[in-house]
């Protein structure tokens, strides 16, 4: 078969790897400088008097001696080794790597926002406070919650914040509830946040359809249940159809429902966690609201709560007085306290506000409809080449299994590595844990049909290669700066300095 969308460059796997550009230390020549300043007219003794003897450097720093242009090329070359949504398709399941519209960046860079100082008096912050207040209300409306805090700096931080509020809620009622229930498909941060918040986690299995097993849930809940953490659609991209019953089971046992809304791309303007029975929800603005992420931040993980939990929100909250002015409300005696310095990652909040306001309610609904359509289109086209463990309609993402390639000695990891040669960031692999050889794909709404087809064709071609010429897949990638890494050692014992010379 012919795959017309596969880029030509990927057709010759044996091609020599591009020669590496010289490293900056190799370019170093004694005495070469990037720029020079006029001679200092302050006497040397006066300068050294300013710095304690012990802090003065005895030998010059081991820095490369290069021209300015070498430095610029060095860092530009390094930056080109990065992969981001601005240079290619990035269908990372459970991570919503959607395009970040540049108008969001323009808004965040407006002087009135970018130059704010955290210690400015409230009267001079009214515009920023109004933005925060409006964003809180927008997110509350979108999730079906009564109040929102914008302080948490990431999804996991939002989870922890939500769980601390759940803890405070139970304690305020004189109840000691120690367990948080999570399904086996849950994101790893869920049990981690529960543990850090002082709870014990209980895992409930999924049933054959990939949904929460109600029998197992009934057996797990009790007077010690603090909360159930769930995401819907779940991490397999499937909608928990029994959500009303799940909510009833947990609430009847006196527990609360926590919604992991990190990836809300399937439900915006269509369904709301608050209406499904959830009491607490966090959103990842750096996923769903298109603010940039990757490389560790900054992000934002706002948390919304139902009325009964409002007293426990982190302080300060942003309030609005009857006269229309805005203020930081520190008068919150039951608050769990401050969870972030100042007030959250403000620049990210401006981007999310801009995103929501440029789309409006109808636009956000359209975003979700397209995200779901794209995922179903991809799943359908790939279903004759890869196993689909949970067939049917998916939401914004879906999982495949690479199990069928195992007889040829090819694993899911090899498929992921080979995709790099076609210019794609691989999808999430080996997650969720309850699917063997899992490949988890989330195309998002921001990609054209041509891009989706190109990726699908590459995936199909790799499945063919795996059967006919497995070595080609097993030795991939061919065109990257480095080939296969020992990823565990790289993460645990990173070598971050240049060891040449
Ligand atoms: C990304 C993600 C998180 C964690 O968010 P961070 O901002 O990385 O802390 C939590 N749950 C789900 C389902 C996610 O996809």
């Amino acid at each position: 078969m012919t795959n017309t969308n596969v880029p030509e460059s990927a057709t010759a796997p044996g091609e020599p790897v591009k020669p590496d550009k010289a490293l900056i230390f190799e370019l170093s020549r004694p005495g070469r400088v990037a720029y020079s300043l006029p001679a200092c007219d302050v006497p040397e003794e006066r300068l050294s008097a300013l710095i304690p003897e012990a802090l003065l450097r005895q030998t010059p720093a081991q820095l490369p001696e290069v021209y300015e242009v070498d430095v610029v090329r060095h860092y530009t070359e390094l930056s080109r080794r990065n992969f981001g949504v601005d240079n290619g398709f990035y269908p990372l399941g459970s991570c919503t790597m959607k395009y970040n519209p540049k108008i969001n960046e323009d808004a965040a860079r407006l002087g009135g926002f970018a130059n704010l100082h955290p210690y400015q008096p409230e009267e001079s912050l009214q515009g920023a406070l109004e933005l925060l207040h409006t964003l809180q209300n927008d997110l509350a409306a979108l999730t079906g919650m009564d109040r929102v805090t914008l302080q948490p700096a990431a999804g996991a931080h939002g989870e922890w914040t939500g769980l601390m509020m759940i803890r405070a809620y139970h304690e305020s009622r004189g109840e000691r509830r120690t367990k948080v229930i999570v399904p086996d498909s849950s994101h790893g941060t869920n049990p981690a946040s529960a543990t850090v918040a002082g709870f014990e986690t209980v895992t409930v299995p999924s049933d054959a359809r990939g949904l929460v097993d109600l029998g197992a849930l009934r057996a797990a809940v009790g007077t010690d249940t603090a909360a159930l953490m769930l995401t819907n659609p779940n991490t397999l991209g499937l909608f928990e159809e029994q959500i009303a019953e799940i909510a009833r089971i947990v609430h009847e046992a006196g527990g609360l429902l926590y919604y992991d809304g990190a990836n809300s791309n399937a439900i915006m303007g269509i369904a709301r966690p608050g209406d499904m029975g959830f009491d607490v929800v966090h959103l990842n603005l750096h996923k769903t609201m298109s603010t940039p992420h990757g490389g560790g931040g900054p992000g934002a993980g706002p948390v919304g709560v139902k009325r009964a939990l409002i007293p426990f929100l982190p302080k300060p909250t942003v309030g609005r007085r009857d006269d229309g002015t805005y203020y930081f409300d520190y008068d919150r005696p039951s608050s769990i306290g401050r969870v972030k310095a100042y007030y959250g990652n403000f620049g990210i909040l401006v981007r999310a506000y801009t995103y929501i306001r440029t789309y409006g309610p109808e636009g956000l609904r359209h975003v979700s409809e397209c995200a779901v359509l794209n995922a179903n289109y991809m799943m359908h086209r790939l279903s004759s080449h890869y196993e689909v463990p949970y067939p049917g309609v998916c939401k914004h993402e879906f999982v495949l299994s690479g199990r069928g390639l195992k007889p040829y000695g090819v694993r899911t990891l090899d498929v992921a590595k080979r995709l790099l040669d076609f210019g794609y960031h691989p999808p999430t692999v080996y997650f969720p844990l309850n699917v063997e050889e899992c490949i988890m794909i989330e195309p998002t709404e921001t990609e054209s049909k041509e891009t989706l087809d190109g990726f699908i064709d590459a995936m199909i071609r790799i499945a063919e290669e795996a059967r006919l010429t497995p070595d080609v897949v097993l030795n991939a990638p061919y065109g990257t700066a480095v080939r296969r890494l020992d990823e565990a050692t790289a993460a645990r014992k990173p070598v971050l300095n240049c060891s040449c010379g």
Side-chain angles (χ1 to χ4, degrees):
M1 83 172 278
T2 52
N3 293 312
T4 47
N5 291 301
V6 174
E8 270 310 305
S9 64
T11 57
E15 260 177 25
V17 177
K18 254 190 306 175
D20 219 354
K21 293 256 166 67
L23 289 163
I24 197 156
F25 279 88
E26 295 159 2
L27 295 175
S28 181
R29 296 289 177 273
R32 208 167 263 185
V33 292
Y35 67 93
S36 52
L37 294 172
C40 185
D41 59 0
V42 181
E44 185 104 359
E45 322 77 75
R46 284 192 50 204
L47 281 180
S48 45
L50 292 173
I51 303 170
E53 182 70 26
L55 295 182
L56 281 176
R57 187 186 280 285
Q58 300 306 315
T59 48
Q62 295 281 302
L63 294 174
E65 295 173 76
V66 291
Y67 298 131
E68 181 173 316
V69 65
D70 297 323
V71 178
V72 169
R73 286 187 184 147
H74 172 74
Y75 284 108
T76 305
E77 177 60 22
L78 287 185
S79 77
R80 285 161 50 152
R81 294 185 184 183
N82 271 336
F83 192 97
V85 258
D86 283 357
N87 53 349
F89 183 42
Y90 204 140
L92 204 58
S94 191
C95 214
T96 318
M97 300 298 289
K98 60 167 81 173
Y99 175 69
N100 320 126
K102 298 303 169 236
I103 188 174
N104 300 352
E105 301 302 311
D106 290 347
R109 282 167 179 72
L110 289 173
F113 291 136
N115 300 331
L116 287 176
H117 191 279
Y119 288 133
Q120 255 174 257
E122 243 163 55
E123 311 83 78
S124 70
L125 284 174
Q126 287 299 304
L129 290 175
E130 180 178 355
L131 181 141
L132 295 175
H133 194 261
T134 313
L135 180 60
Q136 284 175 6
N137 289 346
D138 286 354
L139 296 177
L142 200 62
T143 54
M145 292 287 148
D146 293 317
R147 275 291 280 284
V148 167
T149 173
L150 302 172
Q151 277 189 40
H157 193 191
E159 290 169 25
W160 177 81
T161 303
L163 288 163
M164 292 305 282
M165 285 190 267
I166 287 175
R167 210 185 139 116
Y169 166 84
H170 290 310
E171 277 168 10
S172 75
R173 294 157 52 95
E175 291 189 358
R176 205 180 112 73
R177 290 175 175 264
T178 52
K179 294 194 174 140
V180 168
I181 303 173
V182 295
D184 61 359
S185 63
S186 78
H187 194 271
T189 51
N190 292 185
S193 302
T195 305
V196 175
F199 294 104
E200 206 181 302
T201 56
V202 180
T203 306
V204 290
S206 309
D207 64 15
R209 294 188 306 151
L211 305 176
V212 171
D213 184 326
L214 288 194
L217 178 64
R218 281 197 193 92
V221 297
T223 51
D224 56 0
T225 303
L228 167 72
M229 293 182 89
L230 202 65
T231 176
N232 193 20
N234 68 22
T235 310
L236 297 168
L238 306 172
F239 195 80
E240 297 281 356
E241 293 157 14
Q242 312 252 43
I243 185 58
E245 179 62 12
I246 291 171
R248 205 181 56 76
I249 294 170
V250 175
H251 282 150
E252 274 181 4
L256 296 176
L257 263 87
Y258 184 98
Y259 187 93
D260 180 341
N263 307 285
S264 294
N265 230 20
I267 61 163
M268 286 191 293
I270 300 169
R272 307 194 307 169
D275 301 332
M276 297 180 208
F278 287 91
D279 306 289
V280 184
V281 50
H282 87 263
L283 296 172
N284 277 23
L285 301 187
H286 47 293
K287 292 180 182 168
T288 310
M289 301 303 166
S290 90
T291 72
H293 77 293
V303 180
V305 295
K306 286 277 179 67
R307 197 159 309 284
L309 288 131
I310 291 177
F312 310 107
L313 283 168
K315 68 179 171 185
T317 53
V318 178
R320 185 173 187 271
R321 296 190 191 87
D322 290 341
D323 67 0
T325 57
Y326 298 90
Y327 67 106
F328 283 124
D329 182 5
Y330 285 92
D331 184 19
R332 307 188 58 81
S334 304
S335 165
I336 61 162
R338 187 191 275 286
V339 300
K340 173 87 175 71
Y342 308 116
Y343 200 82
N345 282 327
F346 182 69
I348 295 298
L349 303 175
V350 175
R351 287 173 176 85
Y353 171 88
T354 310
Y355 182 76
I356 291 172
R357 293 279 145 171
T358 41
Y359 271 110
E362 290 305 314
L364 290 177
R365 185 188 174 102
H366 190 58
V367 162
S368 285
E369 287 168 350
C370 292
V372 172
L373 182 64
N374 284 357
N376 278 282
Y377 173 70
M378 276 192 133
M379 183 172 80
H380 179 75
R381 273 204 63 200
L382 285 169
S383 62
S384 35
H385 305 269
Y386 291 85
E387 223 173 293
V388 178
Y390 301 103
V393 176
C394 67
K395 292 292 175 277
H396 61 300
E397 61 192 0
F398 61 98
V399 295
L400 301 174
S401 170
R403 191 159 46 192
L405 304 179
K406 263 184 157 177
Y408 311 98
V410 174
R411 310 269 319 261
T412 284
L413 181 71
D414 305 311
V415 174
K417 294 294 181 195
R418 182 66 175 131
L419 273 170
L420 296 170
D421 289 328
F422 295 91
Y424 298 111
H425 193 288
T428 299
V429 292
Y430 300 110
F431 178 79
L433 305 174
N434 52 342
V435 172
E436 190 191 349
E437 294 293 309
C438 191
I439 307 174
M440 187 185 197
I441 301 176
E442 181 178 356
T444 85
E445 77 288 359
T446 59
E447 302 296 335
S448 65
K449 181 166 180 298
E450 289 73 20
T451 299
L452 303 184
D453 283 332
F455 177 82
I456 293 165
D457 290 345
M459 285 287 288
I460 294 173
R461 178 162 152 183
I462 295 169
E464 285 170 355
E465 286 177 347
R467 288 186 191 99
L468 303 174
T469 52
D471 278 352
V472 168
V473 185
L474 291 172
N475 293 318
Y478 302 91
T480 48
V482 285
R483 303 283 295 276
R484 293 226 184 176
L485 298 170
D486 176 350
E487 287 169 20
T489 306
R492 293 199 184 120
K493 294 182 189 159
V495 180
L496 300 176
N497 60 337
C498 184
S499 54
C500 42

